[in-house]
Amino acid sequence: MNICSHGVYFATEQKLPKGVLIQVHLKMPREVVGDVVGDEATEWCFTGRVAHVESLGPTNNKLGVGVHFLTTKFPAQCSRLAG
């Protein structure tokens, strides 16, 4: 996985078509969020559009997927979406 402020790139076996909107939930490390109480506060939610999909090789069933973030929801907003 590779992540920056504008998007994320990851490997998956799921076929995601270019252009589709997806929601990505990530647990952020302590270095990013600081000292927090409970797991809920470390999860951030991102809505993004699949920007590209590529094969990771003929012997690998996985695809490399690049997602461009459109919105970010921080911990309090994340928990409202899940419920």
Side-chain angles (χ1 to χ4, degrees):
M1 177 186 289
N2 188 350
I3 187 167
C4 70
S5 61
H6 301 293
V8 65
Y9 180 87
F10 57 92
T12 182
E13 292 179 353
Q14 186 164 353
K15 295 185 186 323
L16 295 169
K18 185 176 176 180
V20 71
L21 289 176
I22 66 169
Q23 193 171 71
V24 179
H25 295 252
L26 297 173
K27 285 201 173 198
M28 295 300 187
R30 185 177 302 269
E31 294 82 11
V32 173
V33 297
D35 290 326
V36 294
V37 178
D39 289 339
E40 189 176 290
T42 63
E43 184 176 290
W44 291 6
C45 306
F46 303 88
T47 299
R49 186 174 310 277
V50 174
H52 64 269
V53 180
E54 61 188 5
S55 171
L56 293 180
T59 60
N60 190 337
N61 293 344
K62 294 190 176 185
L63 299 169
V65 177
V67 176
H68 178 251
F69 292 146
L70 302 172
T71 63
T72 303
K73 301 217 181 310
F74 295 100
Q77 297 163 318
C78 261
S79 60
R80 280 184 285 202
L81 288 176

